[in-house]
Amino acid sequence: MKRKRGQRFNIHINNELKEIFVGHHTLFSVIGFTVGGILVGETVKEWAHLHIGLPATLIIGLMLILFTGITLHKFSDRLISPQDDEDIGI
């Protein structure tokens, strides 16, 4: 067997940097979801504004924000204990 000649580089990339390019939450997936979400959101906003009017669109948006915030406990300053994590399935 011949011995390979030349310089070998062993590059160590820490886990945080590696996750940017490899894995489920890559830089490209974050950009894709962000840009896609903006495009879809703008389309829904324009459609709702055209068909149901500005006041109804604002009311639906505020109700959606409040419902989501209450459901995900985003308006609470209470720290979640590990026991609470098991209750909500985290």
Side-chain angles (χ1 to χ4, degrees), residues 4-8:
K4 292 184 179 181
R5 294 185 182 199
Q7 184 68 29
R8 290 188 183 193

Side-chain angles (χ1 to χ4, degrees), residues 42-62:
E42 282 292 319
T43 303
V44 170
K45 180 196 67 109
E46 290 294 326
W47 180 88
H49 186 149
L50 183 66
H51 287 85
I52 63 175
L54 180 63
T57 302
L58 289 174
I59 290 170
I60 291 171
L62 286 173

Side-chain angles (χ1 to χ4, degrees), residues 58-79:
L58 289 174
I59 290 170
I60 291 171
L62 286 173
M63 288 183 355
L64 184 62
I65 289 170
L66 288 173
F67 176 74
T68 305
I70 291 169
T71 303
L72 297 176
H73 306 286
K74 293 297 181 183
F75 301 127
S76 175
D77 289 337
R78 180 176 64 89
L79 294 174

Side-chain angles (χ1 to χ4, degrees), residues 19-20 22 33 53-54 65 70 81 89:
E19 287 180 8
I20 292 175
V22 179
F33 280 118
L54 180 63
I65 289 170
I70 291 169
S81 66

